[in-house]
Amino acid sequence: MDMIMDEKSGTKTLAFHGHIGPVYDVSCNYNKSLILSAGHDSTARLWSLQTHSQLVAYRAHEHPIWRCAWSPLGHYFATGGADRMVLLWSMQQISPIRIFSGHLGDITSLCLHPNGNYVASGSSDRSVRVWDMSGGGCIRHLTGHKGSVTSLVFSPHGHLLVSGDDHGRSSSGR
C-alpha cells in the first residue's frame, strides 16, 4: 500500500493498492505526475497521480526491490535490490533496457546523474559503482566505505557524487 499525505494537515489524501507486502522505496518523477514504488514482491509499480491508478507493474527482479530512482529527464528510471542488480527502465517498455551487474551485495542506494547519462548504485558490499546508461558498462568502482552504502546523491551540476554508509561515514568523489 502506498499513500500520499497532505504535507500541511498530515492527513491521508490518496492510497494506492497493488504491492503484496512492504513497499521499501518511492520516487516521484520530475513533474510530480507519476510515482514509482519498489516492493518486497519484486515489482516496481508506476502510479498516475492524475488518474489515481496503477499504470504498470514492472517485473524482472527475482528478489525484493529496495530502491528506485527517476532520471531527472523523466523517461527513465532505475531499480535495485536483493538480486544485486541495477535495472534501467524506459516508461515505454515493460522489460528493462539495461541490466547492470557487478555488486557482490544487495543494492542499497540509487541515484541518476543530472544529465541522464549515468546511474550510481551503492551496495551492502560497501562499494559504489557508476554505470554508463548508453554503453552499459561500469565506468567507476569506488571503495572505502566501512558499511553498506545507504545513500547517494549527485550534486545539481553533476560534478560531485556523495555517498553515506551505515557506519556514519560520508564520502565524495568527482
Side-chain angles (χ1 to χ4, degrees):
M1 178 173 159
D2 301 321
M3 85 177 69
I4 308 297
M5 302 293 284
D6 180 285
E7 66 183 74
K8 290 186 181 178
S9 69
T11 59
K12 180 174 75 167
T13 59
L14 186 59
F16 295 110
H17 301 275
H19 281 285
I20 299 167
V23 172
Y24 295 117
D25 200 11
V26 293
S27 183
C28 220
N29 72 333
Y30 73 100
N31 67 2
K32 300 183 182 16
S33 64
L34 300 169
I35 293 178
L36 184 66
S37 59
H40 185 79
D41 59 4
S42 305
T43 67
R45 295 177 187 254
L46 184 63
W47 309 89
S48 169
L49 290 174
Q50 295 167 341
T51 64
H52 305 156
S53 62
Q54 178 180 297
L55 301 176
V56 181
Y58 297 95
R59 303 173 196 279
H61 285 279
E62 296 179 11
H63 297 285
I65 302 173
W66 306 131
R67 296 290 172 248
C68 60
W70 281 99
S71 164
L73 305 177
H75 298 294
Y76 301 100
F77 60 90
T79 57
D83 56 11
R84 302 175 178 181
M85 294 186 297
V86 175
L87 276 56
L88 180 66
W89 305 84
S90 167
M91 284 180 31
Q92 287 78 26
Q93 296 181 341
I94 60 168
S95 298
I97 58 174
R98 290 259 186 248
I99 298 174
F100 304 112
S101 62
H103 280 293
L104 303 176
D106 292 12
I107 306 303
T108 52
S109 54
L110 279 176
C111 69
L112 284 89
H113 193 276
N115 70 11
N117 293 327
Y118 309 101
V119 59
S121 56
S123 173
S124 61
D125 69 6
R126 304 184 316 246
S127 74
V128 173
R129 289 179 182 261
V130 180
W131 309 93
D132 179 357
M133 289 172 51
S134 61
C138 177
I139 59 168
R140 301 279 310 264
H141 182 212
L142 308 169
T143 60
H145 279 284
K146 302 298 182 198
S148 293
V149 180
T150 55
S151 58
L152 283 172
V153 66
F154 281 106
S155 62
H157 51 70
H159 298 295
L160 187 66
L161 175 63
V162 181
S163 57
D165 67 29
D166 63 2
H167 284 218
R169 181 182 170 135
S170 294
S171 182
S172 64
R174 293 184 184 260

